[in-house]
Amino acid sequence: FEALSDENRCKMFRIFAKQKGNICVSDFAKILGLTLAGASQHLKILERADIIRRIKKGKMVCYEINKNNKVIRSLLKVLNNK
């Protein structure tokens, strides 16, 4: 939960929860008004916390929610039942 305590990372998680599929670093940078480096840093923190996982698409780096994590699955259920 510490990884989600930052406002931008919390917004990223909510976007992941609503989105089907994966999202690229550049998309997050545009959506949240961050630099690519800033968005990448936030995503790295979420990845280290096992909340998301990285997917390489050629030179692009995208991420998707880690549905193998029980806590994340439970959190998604709570968010989707609102």
Side-chain angles (χ1 to χ4, degrees):
F1 288 106
E2 185 178 336
L4 295 173
S5 66
D6 177 84
E7 183 180 349
N8 283 317
R9 290 192 296 271
C10 189
K11 286 179 185 178
M12 288 174 161
F13 181 76
R14 293 180 135 215
I15 292 167
F16 275 120
K18 291 178 186 176
Q19 187 77 16
K20 304 277 190 223
N22 54 56
I23 307 169
C24 295
V25 176
S26 57
D27 295 331
F28 274 118
K30 288 177 193 172
I31 293 167
L32 299 174
L34 301 170
T35 64
L36 284 174
S40 183
Q41 188 64 29
H42 284 300
L43 290 163
K44 240 182 241 185
I45 292 168
L46 292 174
E47 182 182 18
R48 274 191 239 131
D50 202 31
I51 295 170
I52 60 173
R53 59 187 189 156
R54 178 190 314 223
I55 300 166
K56 294 271 281 180
K57 290 185 173 185
K59 292 184 180 183
M60 293 182 66
V61 178
C62 298
Y63 292 86
E64 67 182 7
I65 205 109
N66 183 2
K67 293 183 180 173
N68 294 327
N69 183 320
K70 288 182 191 180
V71 174
I72 298 306
R73 281 197 315 262
S74 296
L75 200 53
L76 288 172
K77 283 181 186 177
V78 170
L79 287 174
N80 290 328
N81 286 331
K82 282 189 171 183

